[in-house]
Amino acid sequence: MRRGRPGASPGGAAERTLTSVGAGDGDAVADGGAMARGAGRGEASRLWHVTLSVSGNEAPLREVRRALEQLAHDHPFLLTSRYANDHAEIRYWEEARDLHDAAAVALRLWGEHRSSARLPPWEIVGLEVIDRDTYHQRVAEGYGPPPASPVGVHPF
């Protein structure tokens, strides 16, 4: 699997690897619909928009922000995070073979990075994984999540 932004042009790979890309300028690379080959199975990977919601006991806002900033620094594939003292939402693009793979990676994200980023001990309370076309259709029709701009960590 490769993590990237919408429009990122994934190259073909002989083996399945995890790769992060910078969350800097938000410019899309031409031909965002390019497909990569996964794990030598001949299966094409696609981009999935992921929204992960977590919640739990209150934590100091400064600590929540610091933890989310650390997570974004360690894993710059994160587009944006919003937070309050008892919940947060993380949005990013994931490249995966199918929805099941994208969801599995998303469901591991919070727990796997809880200690390294010193994230609050919150639980995952929501997960939405939609394909790139559905995301853009929702935005165009005015009822989807707004584009992740500005990129970064922000309070609700």
Side-chain angles (χ1 to χ4, degrees):
M1 275 179 256
R2 215 182 125 159
R3 294 188 169 118
R5 261 204 212 111
S9 180
E15 63 184 57
R16 201 171 180 108
T17 59
L18 290 175
T19 305
S20 295
V21 296
D25 57 17
D27 290 341
V29 176
D31 191 17
M35 301 300 235
R37 297 287 169 194
R41 295 184 207 143
E43 297 168 351
S45 63
R46 300 174 13 196
L47 286 174
W48 302 89
H49 185 266
V50 176
T51 304
L52 181 69
S53 300
V54 294
S55 181
N57 293 330
E58 289 188 8
L61 282 176
R62 290 178 65 188
E63 291 299 314
V64 173
R65 180 180 182 92
R66 187 220 38 81
L68 291 172
E69 287 173 343
Q70 182 64 46
L71 181 62
H73 174 73
D74 292 346
H75 302 282
F77 60 87
L78 297 177
L79 289 177
T80 187
S81 298
R82 298 188 306 162
Y83 66 94
N85 64 348
D86 63 349
H87 65 283
E89 175 184 274
I90 299 168
R91 294 174 47 199
Y92 65 96
W93 289 93
E94 180 71 52
E95 184 177 326
R97 180 176 47 91
D98 58 22
L99 181 135
H100 296 281
D101 286 353
V105 171
L107 289 170
R108 290 192 312 264
L109 178 70
W110 192 261
E112 287 182 356
H113 302 291
R114 183 173 287 152
S115 65
S116 64
R118 296 194 322 251
L119 297 166
W122 295 344
E123 67 177 328
I124 296 172
V125 295
L127 174 64
E128 180 183 57
V129 180
I130 56 176
D131 70 356
R132 186 172 187 262
D133 291 339
T134 302
Y135 173 84
H136 288 297
Q137 179 182 358
R138 285 184 179 181
V139 170
E141 293 174 355
Y143 65 89
S149 177
V151 170
V153 177
H154 308 281
F156 271 104

